Structure formats: C-alpha cells, structure tokens
Amino acid sequence: REVVQVTISNKDVDGVLLRDLRLPTDVLFLDLTRNGSSIVPHGYTRVQLQDEVTLIGKESSLEEATLKLGY
C-alpha cells in the first residue's frame, strides 16, 4: 500500500460527497485538511476545491484517484 496527499483541483468534484466520488474500492481517505484545519473524513464529508486529502491504497488505484481529484 502507498500513501499520497492530493490537493482537490478538479472543479467537477467540488461539493461532492466522498461516498459519491466513485473512486477505486481499495482507496481510503485518511485525512482531509481545509484552511489549515484537519477534518476526520466520512462518507458525508463534501470535498471542496483546495482541500488537501491523504489517501491510502494500491499505487495504480491511487493514480486513478489522483487523476479524478486533482494533483
């Protein structure tokens, strides 16, 4: 398993619930940082542009998730 940090930059996912993102099933959200504050993410957390998220999963799945979320 790998861990990556991604900044949400895709306008298509702005305001979408984590549970509705349709990321690979082996990708888990470990942390979400918004405006310097850490948020424990759950399925009903809405992502916003410029959120920093920490993800864990297989390298190939993380690449797919990164492409969908931002950079």
Side-chain angles (χ1 to χ4, degrees):
R1 301 286 180 234
E2 302 285 328
V3 176
V4 297
Q5 187 167 10
V6 178
T7 301
I8 305 296
S9 62
N10 181 352
K11 293 178 183 177
D12 293 336
V13 300
D14 186 31
V16 176
L17 297 173
L18 290 182
R19 60 182 270 154
D20 295 335
L21 287 174
R22 303 290 186 237
L23 298 178
T25 57
D26 66 322
V27 173
L28 297 176
F29 283 80
L30 296 178
D31 184 57
L32 185 147
T33 303
R34 180 178 297 151
N35 300 323
S37 297
S38 184
I39 298 169
V40 178
H42 53 78
Y44 291 98
T45 301
R46 290 188 187 277
V47 294
Q48 296 178 2
L49 290 175
Q50 300 307 309
D51 283 352
E52 302 261 342
V53 294
T54 305
L55 308 172
I56 187 170
K58 290 190 305 191
E59 185 176 352
S60 60
S61 297
L62 290 173
E63 288 173 7
E64 182 181 335
T66 300
L67 287 173
K68 183 165 189 166
L69 299 174
Y71 54 87

